[in-house]
Structure formats: C-alpha cells, structure tokens
mmCIF file of all heavy atoms in Angstrom:
data_model
loop_
_atom_site.group_PDB
_atom_site.id
_atom_site.type_symbol
_atom_site.label_atom_id
_atom_site.label_comp_id
_atom_site.label_asym_id
_atom_site.label_seq_id
_atom_site.Cartn_x
_atom_site.Cartn_y
_atom_site.Cartn_z
ATOM 1 N N ALA A 17 -23.277 21.093 -14.806
ATOM 2 C CA ALA A 17 -24.737 21.044 -14.687
ATOM 3 C C ALA A 17 -25.296 22.223 -13.899
ATOM 4 O O ALA A 17 -26.362 22.745 -14.238
ATOM 5 C CB ALA A 17 -25.160 19.732 -14.035
ATOM 6 N N PHE A 18 -24.598 22.654 -12.868
ATOM 7 C CA PHE A 18 -25.131 23.701 -12.003
ATOM 8 C C PHE A 18 -24.386 25.024 -12.128
ATOM 9 O O PHE A 18 -24.627 25.945 -11.345
ATOM 10 C CB PHE A 18 -25.150 23.223 -10.548
ATOM 11 C CG PHE A 18 -26.085 22.074 -10.336
ATOM 12 C CD1 PHE A 18 -25.591 20.774 -10.202
ATOM 13 C CD2 PHE A 18 -27.454 22.268 -10.316
ATOM 14 C CE1 PHE A 18 -26.450 19.708 -10.021
ATOM 15 C CE2 PHE A 18 -28.317 21.210 -10.141
ATOM 16 C CZ PHE A 18 -27.818 19.919 -9.994
ATOM 17 N N ASP A 19 -23.474 25.120 -13.091
ATOM 18 C CA ASP A 19 -22.742 26.342 -13.379
ATOM 19 C C ASP A 19 -22.102 26.932 -12.115
ATOM 20 O O ASP A 19 -22.292 28.095 -11.768
ATOM 21 C CB ASP A 19 -23.679 27.372 -14.034
ATOM 22 C CG ASP A 19 -22.888 28.503 -14.677
ATOM 23 O OD1 ASP A 19 -21.751 28.252 -15.110
ATOM 24 O OD2 ASP A 19 -23.422 29.631 -14.727
ATOM 25 N N LYS A 20 -21.354 26.081 -11.433
ATOM 26 C CA LYS A 20 -20.635 26.516 -10.245
ATOM 27 C C LYS A 20 -19.322 25.764 -10.180
ATOM 28 O O LYS A 20 -19.091 24.831 -10.936
ATOM 29 C CB LYS A 20 -21.455 26.281 -8.977
ATOM 30 C CG LYS A 20 -21.715 24.830 -8.660
ATOM 31 C CD LYS A 20 -22.460 24.691 -7.353
ATOM 32 C CE LYS A 20 -22.515 23.224 -6.981
ATOM 33 N NZ LYS A 20 -22.896 23.058 -5.597
ATOM 34 N N ILE A 21 -18.470 26.167 -9.273
ATOM 35 C CA ILE A 21 -17.169 25.521 -9.140
ATOM 36 C C ILE A 21 -17.083 24.870 -7.773
ATOM 37 O O ILE A 21 -17.218 25.544 -6.748
ATOM 38 C CB ILE A 21 -16.019 26.522 -9.332
ATOM 39 C CG1 ILE A 21 -16.064 27.090 -10.747
ATOM 40 C CG2 ILE A 21 -14.680 25.863 -9.045
ATOM 41 C CD1 ILE A 21 -15.041 28.151 -11.021
ATOM 42 N N ASN A 22 -16.858 23.562 -7.781
ATOM 43 C CA ASN A 22 -16.666 22.805 -6.548
ATOM 44 C C ASN A 22 -15.173 22.591 -6.330
ATOM 45 O O ASN A 22 -14.435 22.367 -7.279
ATOM 46 C CB ASN A 22 -17.337 21.437 -6.633
ATOM 47 C CG ASN A 22 -18.832 21.551 -6.747
ATOM 48 O OD1 ASN A 22 -19.451 22.323 -6.044
ATOM 49 N ND2 ASN A 22 -19.419 20.787 -7.643
ATOM 50 N N ALA A 23 -14.760 22.639 -5.104
ATOM 51 C CA ALA A 23 -13.365 22.352 -4.771
ATOM 52 C C ALA A 23 -13.139 20.839 -4.796
ATOM 53 O O ALA A 23 -14.071 20.062 -4.556
ATOM 54 C CB ALA A 23 -13.036 22.895 -3.392
ATOM 55 N N PRO A 24 -11.918 20.414 -5.099
ATOM 56 C CA PRO A 24 -11.625 18.975 -5.028
ATOM 57 C C PRO A 24 -11.798 18.457 -3.602
ATOM 58 O O PRO A 24 -11.647 19.200 -2.634
ATOM 59 C CB PRO A 24 -10.155 18.888 -5.445
ATOM 60 C CG PRO A 24 -9.838 20.174 -6.104
ATOM 61 C CD PRO A 24 -10.774 21.191 -5.547
ATOM 62 N N VAL A 25 -12.094 17.185 -3.495
ATOM 63 C CA VAL A 25 -12.251 16.539 -2.188
ATOM 64 C C VAL A 25 -10.873 16.013 -1.782
ATOM 65 O O VAL A 25 -10.434 14.957 -2.243
ATOM 66 C CB VAL A 25 -13.285 15.388 -2.254
ATOM 67 C CG1 VAL A 25 -13.439 14.732 -0.905
ATOM 68 C CG2 VAL A 25 -14.609 15.899 -2.774
ATOM 69 N N PHE A 26 -10.191 16.772 -0.934
ATOM 70 C CA PHE A 26 -8.813 16.439 -0.595
ATOM 71 C C PHE A 26 -8.685 15.183 0.259
ATOM 72 O O PHE A 26 -7.609 14.608 0.335
ATOM 73 C CB PHE A 26 -8.128 17.635 0.075
ATOM 74 C CG PHE A 26 -7.854 18.750 -0.885
ATOM 75 C CD1 PHE A 26 -8.663 19.873 -0.911
ATOM 76 C CD2 PHE A 26 -6.816 18.662 -1.798
ATOM 77 C CE1 PHE A 26 -8.432 20.897 -1.804
ATOM 78 C CE2 PHE A 26 -6.577 19.674 -2.701
ATOM 79 C CZ PHE A 26 -7.385 20.796 -2.713
ATOM 80 N N SER A 27 -9.765 14.748 0.879
ATOM 81 C CA SER A 27 -9.692 13.493 1.628
ATOM 82 C C SER A 27 -9.462 12.310 0.683
ATOM 83 O O SER A 27 -8.915 11.285 1.096
ATOM 84 C CB SER A 27 -10.955 13.275 2.453
ATOM 85 O OG SER A 27 -12.086 13.191 1.615
ATOM 86 N N LEU A 28 -9.841 12.453 -0.587
ATOM 87 C CA LEU A 28 -9.573 11.389 -1.555
ATOM 88 C C LEU A 28 -8.083 11.280 -1.860
ATOM 89 O O LEU A 28 -7.587 10.199 -2.164
ATOM 90 C CB LEU A 28 -10.361 11.628 -2.842
ATOM 91 C CG LEU A 28 -11.872 11.460 -2.729
ATOM 92 C CD1 LEU A 28 -12.555 11.838 -4.034
ATOM 93 C CD2 LEU A 28 -12.225 10.050 -2.331
ATOM 94 N N LEU A 29 -7.366 12.399 -1.766
ATOM 95 C CA LEU A 29 -5.915 12.355 -1.927
ATOM 96 C C LEU A 29 -5.309 11.477 -0.842
ATOM 97 O O LEU A 29 -4.461 10.627 -1.116
ATOM 98 C CB LEU A 29 -5.333 13.765 -1.864
ATOM 99 C CG LEU A 29 -3.841 13.877 -2.169
ATOM 100 C CD1 LEU A 29 -3.590 15.161 -2.948
ATOM 101 C CD2 LEU A 29 -2.986 13.845 -0.954
ATOM 102 N N LEU A 30 -5.778 11.663 0.371
ATOM 103 C CA LEU A 30 -5.297 10.850 1.486
ATOM 104 C C LEU A 30 -5.665 9.381 1.290
ATOM 105 O O LEU A 30 -4.839 8.492 1.521
ATOM 106 C CB LEU A 30 -5.872 11.373 2.801
ATOM 107 C CG LEU A 30 -5.454 10.628 4.057
ATOM 108 C CD1 LEU A 30 -3.941 10.720 4.250
ATOM 109 C CD2 LEU A 30 -6.176 11.171 5.271
ATOM 110 N N ALA A 31 -6.880 9.115 0.840
ATOM 111 C CA ALA A 31 -7.310 7.730 0.627
ATOM 112 C C ALA A 31 -6.439 7.038 -0.422
ATOM 113 O O ALA A 31 -5.971 5.913 -0.217
ATOM 114 C CB ALA A 31 -8.776 7.696 0.206
ATOM 115 N N GLY A 32 -6.210 7.708 -1.545
ATOM 116 C CA GLY A 32 -5.365 7.128 -2.593
ATOM 117 C C GLY A 32 -3.932 6.936 -2.134
ATOM 118 O O GLY A 32 -3.293 5.927 -2.448
ATOM 119 N N ALA A 33 -3.416 7.895 -1.362
ATOM 120 C CA ALA A 33 -2.048 7.780 -0.861
ATOM 121 C C ALA A 33 -1.911 6.632 0.130
ATOM 122 O O ALA A 33 -0.906 5.909 0.124
ATOM 123 C CB ALA A 33 -1.613 9.093 -0.221
ATOM 124 N N VAL A 34 -2.922 6.422 0.960
ATOM 125 C CA VAL A 34 -2.878 5.318 1.931
ATOM 126 C C VAL A 34 -2.912 3.966 1.217
ATOM 127 O O VAL A 34 -2.163 3.048 1.567
ATOM 128 C CB VAL A 34 -4.023 5.444 2.961
ATOM 129 C CG1 VAL A 34 -4.204 4.166 3.761
ATOM 130 C CG2 VAL A 34 -3.772 6.619 3.886
ATOM 131 N N ILE A 35 -3.758 3.850 0.204
ATOM 132 C CA ILE A 35 -3.802 2.608 -0.585
ATOM 133 C C ILE A 35 -2.436 2.338 -1.190
ATOM 134 O O ILE A 35 -1.914 1.216 -1.145
ATOM 135 C CB ILE A 35 -4.882 2.689 -1.675
ATOM 136 C CG1 ILE A 35 -6.269 2.727 -1.041
ATOM 137 C CG2 ILE A 35 -4.764 1.528 -2.660
ATOM 138 C CD1 ILE A 35 -7.377 3.132 -2.000
ATOM 139 N N SER A 36 -1.822 3.379 -1.747
ATOM 140 C CA SER A 36 -0.495 3.242 -2.341
ATOM 141 C C SER A 36 0.555 2.898 -1.287
ATOM 142 O O SER A 36 1.421 2.047 -1.523
ATOM 143 C CB SER A 36 -0.122 4.536 -3.064
ATOM 144 O OG SER A 36 1.159 4.444 -3.628
ATOM 145 N N LEU A 37 0.493 3.548 -0.139
ATOM 146 C CA LEU A 37 1.457 3.265 0.935
ATOM 147 C C LEU A 37 1.389 1.821 1.399
ATOM 148 O O LEU A 37 2.426 1.200 1.655
ATOM 149 C CB LEU A 37 1.203 4.193 2.129
ATOM 150 C CG LEU A 37 1.808 5.578 2.056
ATOM 151 C CD1 LEU A 37 1.262 6.456 3.174
ATOM 152 C CD2 LEU A 37 3.315 5.518 2.114
ATOM 153 N N ILE A 38 0.190 1.283 1.498
ATOM 154 C CA ILE A 38 0.039 -0.108 1.930
ATOM 155 C C ILE A 38 0.681 -1.046 0.905
ATOM 156 O O ILE A 38 1.456 -1.933 1.259
ATOM 157 C CB ILE A 38 -1.441 -0.455 2.162
ATOM 158 C CG1 ILE A 38 -1.983 0.320 3.366
ATOM 159 C CG2 ILE A 38 -1.630 -1.964 2.369
ATOM 160 C CD1 ILE A 38 -3.491 0.265 3.521
ATOM 161 N N GLY A 39 0.362 -0.854 -0.367
ATOM 162 C CA GLY A 39 0.972 -1.682 -1.404
ATOM 163 C C GLY A 39 2.480 -1.526 -1.454
ATOM 164 O O GLY A 39 3.228 -2.497 -1.586
ATOM 165 N N MET A 40 2.942 -0.285 -1.334
ATOM 166 C CA MET A 40 4.378 -0.004 -1.377
ATOM 167 C C MET A 40 5.094 -0.658 -0.201
ATOM 168 O O MET A 40 6.165 -1.239 -0.366
ATOM 169 C CB MET A 40 4.588 1.507 -1.346
ATOM 170 C CG MET A 40 5.988 1.942 -1.634
ATOM 171 S SD MET A 40 6.331 2.226 -3.356
ATOM 172 C CE MET A 40 5.137 3.450 -3.796
ATOM 173 N N GLU A 41 4.514 -0.581 0.980
ATOM 174 C CA GLU A 41 5.153 -1.158 2.155
ATOM 175 C C GLU A 41 5.208 -2.682 2.078
ATOM 176 O O GLU A 41 6.214 -3.285 2.443
ATOM 177 C CB GLU A 41 4.449 -0.721 3.442
ATOM 178 C CG GLU A 41 5.090 -1.262 4.705
ATOM 179 C CD GLU A 41 6.576 -0.958 4.835
ATOM 180 O OE1 GLU A 41 6.991 0.160 4.519
ATOM 181 O OE2 GLU A 41 7.326 -1.869 5.253
ATOM 182 N N ILE A 42 4.161 -3.303 1.593
ATOM 183 C CA ILE A 42 4.178 -4.764 1.435
ATOM 184 C C ILE A 42 5.263 -5.159 0.428
ATOM 185 O O ILE A 42 6.044 -6.084 0.668
ATOM 186 C CB ILE A 42 2.796 -5.295 1.021
ATOM 187 C CG1 ILE A 42 1.802 -5.115 2.170
ATOM 188 C CG2 ILE A 42 2.868 -6.771 0.611
ATOM 189 C CD1 ILE A 42 0.360 -5.384 1.788
ATOM 190 N N GLY A 43 5.325 -4.450 -0.688
ATOM 191 C CA GLY A 43 6.361 -4.723 -1.680
ATOM 192 C C GLY A 43 7.752 -4.464 -1.140
ATOM 193 O O GLY A 43 8.682 -5.252 -1.358
ATOM 194 N N ALA A 44 7.936 -3.375 -0.405
ATOM 195 C CA ALA A 44 9.240 -3.042 0.173
ATOM 196 C C ALA A 44 9.648 -4.075 1.218
ATOM 197 O O ALA A 44 10.831 -4.414 1.338
ATOM 198 C CB ALA A 44 9.209 -1.646 0.774
ATOM 199 N N PHE A 45 8.675 -4.585 1.971
ATOM 200 C CA PHE A 45 8.964 -5.628 2.950
ATOM 201 C C PHE A 45 9.510 -6.874 2.254
ATOM 202 O O PHE A 45 10.498 -7.457 2.697
ATOM 203 C CB PHE A 45 7.709 -5.974 3.753
ATOM 204 C CG PHE A 45 7.899 -7.123 4.697
ATOM 205 C CD1 PHE A 45 8.535 -6.928 5.905
ATOM 206 C CD2 PHE A 45 7.454 -8.399 4.367
ATOM 207 C CE1 PHE A 45 8.722 -7.986 6.781
ATOM 208 C CE2 PHE A 45 7.641 -9.458 5.226
ATOM 209 C CZ PHE A 45 8.273 -9.255 6.441
ATOM 210 N N ILE A 46 8.890 -7.266 1.158
ATOM 211 C CA ILE A 46 9.372 -8.425 0.394
ATOM 212 C C ILE A 46 10.765 -8.155 -0.156
ATOM 213 O O ILE A 46 11.649 -9.012 -0.112
ATOM 214 C CB ILE A 46 8.373 -8.790 -0.725
ATOM 215 C CG1 ILE A 46 7.081 -9.320 -0.105
ATOM 216 C CG2 ILE A 46 8.962 -9.806 -1.703
ATOM 217 C CD1 ILE A 46 5.943 -9.489 -1.077
ATOM 218 N N TYR A 47 10.988 -6.932 -0.665
ATOM 219 C CA TYR A 47 12.302 -6.561 -1.185
ATOM 220 C C TYR A 47 13.371 -6.667 -0.100
ATOM 221 O O TYR A 47 14.427 -7.244 -0.313
ATOM 222 C CB TYR A 47 12.259 -5.135 -1.756
ATOM 223 C CG TYR A 47 13.610 -4.606 -2.149
ATOM 224 C CD1 TYR A 47 14.196 -4.989 -3.355
ATOM 225 C CD2 TYR A 47 14.303 -3.731 -1.326
ATOM 226 C CE1 TYR A 47 15.435 -4.505 -3.724
ATOM 227 C CE2 TYR A 47 15.539 -3.239 -1.684
ATOM 228 C CZ TYR A 47 16.104 -3.634 -2.876
ATOM 229 O OH TYR A 47 17.342 -3.152 -3.243
ATOM 230 N N ARG A 48 13.074 -6.116 1.081
ATOM 231 C CA ARG A 48 14.045 -6.172 2.184
ATOM 232 C C ARG A 48 14.290 -7.607 2.636
ATOM 233 O O ARG A 48 15.425 -7.989 2.936
ATOM 234 C CB ARG A 48 13.558 -5.323 3.362
ATOM 235 C CG ARG A 48 13.624 -3.841 3.120
ATOM 236 C CD ARG A 48 13.340 -3.044 4.381
ATOM 237 N NE ARG A 48 12.048 -3.321 4.974
ATOM 238 C CZ ARG A 48 10.937 -2.632 4.714
ATOM 239 N NH1 ARG A 48 10.960 -1.625 3.870
ATOM 240 N NH2 ARG A 48 9.804 -2.955 5.311
ATOM 241 N N HIS A 49 13.238 -8.413 2.666
ATOM 242 C CA HIS A 49 13.364 -9.804 3.086
ATOM 243 C C HIS A 49 14.239 -10.587 2.094
ATOM 244 O O HIS A 49 15.120 -11.339 2.508
ATOM 245 C CB HIS A 49 11.986 -10.440 3.198
ATOM 246 C CG HIS A 49 11.998 -11.837 3.711
ATOM 247 N ND1 HIS A 49 12.354 -12.148 5.000
ATOM 248 C CD2 HIS A 49 11.722 -13.015 3.098
ATOM 249 C CE1 HIS A 49 12.297 -13.462 5.164
ATOM 250 N NE2 HIS A 49 11.905 -14.007 4.024
ATOM 251 N N LYS A 50 14.013 -10.391 0.794
ATOM 252 C CA LYS A 50 14.834 -11.080 -0.210
ATOM 253 C C LYS A 50 16.277 -10.596 -0.172
ATOM 254 O O LYS A 50 17.207 -11.380 -0.338
ATOM 255 C CB LYS A 50 14.249 -10.868 -1.606
ATOM 256 C CG LYS A 50 13.049 -11.707 -1.887
ATOM 257 C CD LYS A 50 12.611 -11.536 -3.322
ATOM 258 C CE LYS A 50 11.434 -12.439 -3.624
ATOM 259 N NZ LYS A 50 11.035 -12.347 -5.024
ATOM 260 N N LYS A 51 16.461 -9.309 0.045
ATOM 261 C CA LYS A 51 17.809 -8.744 0.115
ATOM 262 C C LYS A 51 18.548 -9.318 1.315
ATOM 263 O O LYS A 51 19.727 -9.647 1.234
ATOM 264 C CB LYS A 51 17.725 -7.224 0.208
ATOM 265 C CG LYS A 51 19.038 -6.529 0.091
ATOM 266 C CD LYS A 51 18.829 -5.014 0.079
ATOM 267 C CE LYS A 51 20.152 -4.301 0.046
ATOM 268 N NZ LYS A 51 19.983 -2.858 0.118
ATOM 269 N N LYS A 52 17.839 -9.473 2.442
ATOM 270 C CA LYS A 52 18.436 -10.030 3.644
ATOM 271 C C LYS A 52 18.813 -11.491 3.442
ATOM 272 O O LYS A 52 19.844 -11.951 3.909
ATOM 273 C CB LYS A 52 17.475 -9.885 4.827
ATOM 274 C CG LYS A 52 18.119 -10.112 6.172
ATOM 275 C CD LYS A 52 17.118 -9.987 7.300
ATOM 276 C CE LYS A 52 16.786 -8.530 7.504
ATOM 277 N NZ LYS A 52 15.893 -8.332 8.668
ATOM 278 N N GLU A 53 17.951 -12.239 2.708
ATOM 279 C CA GLU A 53 18.251 -13.651 2.445
ATOM 280 C C GLU A 53 19.462 -13.820 1.541
ATOM 281 O O GLU A 53 20.256 -14.734 1.716
ATOM 282 C CB GLU A 53 17.054 -14.329 1.780
ATOM 283 C CG GLU A 53 15.947 -14.689 2.723
ATOM 284 C CD GLU A 53 14.794 -15.390 2.015
ATOM 285 O OE1 GLU A 53 14.828 -15.483 0.770
ATOM 286 O OE2 GLU A 53 13.886 -15.822 2.693
#
C-alpha cells in the first residue's frame, strides 16, 4: 500500500517460541512422569 519495506517484528518470533516452549514443557513433563511410572 505504501510502496516501502518494513522489517519483520522479531518480538513475534519470541512470542511464538514462548507459546511453543510452554506447550512443549507441559508435554515433556507428562512424558517424563509416565516414563518414571
């Protein structure tokens, strides 16, 4: 629309990675708990 180039918003990379880390850690916790049982 404005014929210019905007840089990506790198803070969104961090936000997406944190969301993924939280889900991954909860899943990994369940995996470790079942493995221990």
Side-chain angles (χ1 to χ4, degrees):
F18 295 103
D19 195 30
K20 65 177 188 165
I21 297 176
N22 295 316
V25 180
F26 289 102
S27 61
L28 291 175
L29 186 143
L30 180 62
V34 166
I35 293 166
S36 179
L37 277 170
I38 293 169
M40 191 90 58
E41 181 54 41
I42 292 170
F45 175 79
I46 292 170
Y47 172 79
R48 288 189 302 267
H49 184 68
K50 283 185 177 183
K51 188 175 177 184
K52 194 181 286 185
E53 282 181 354

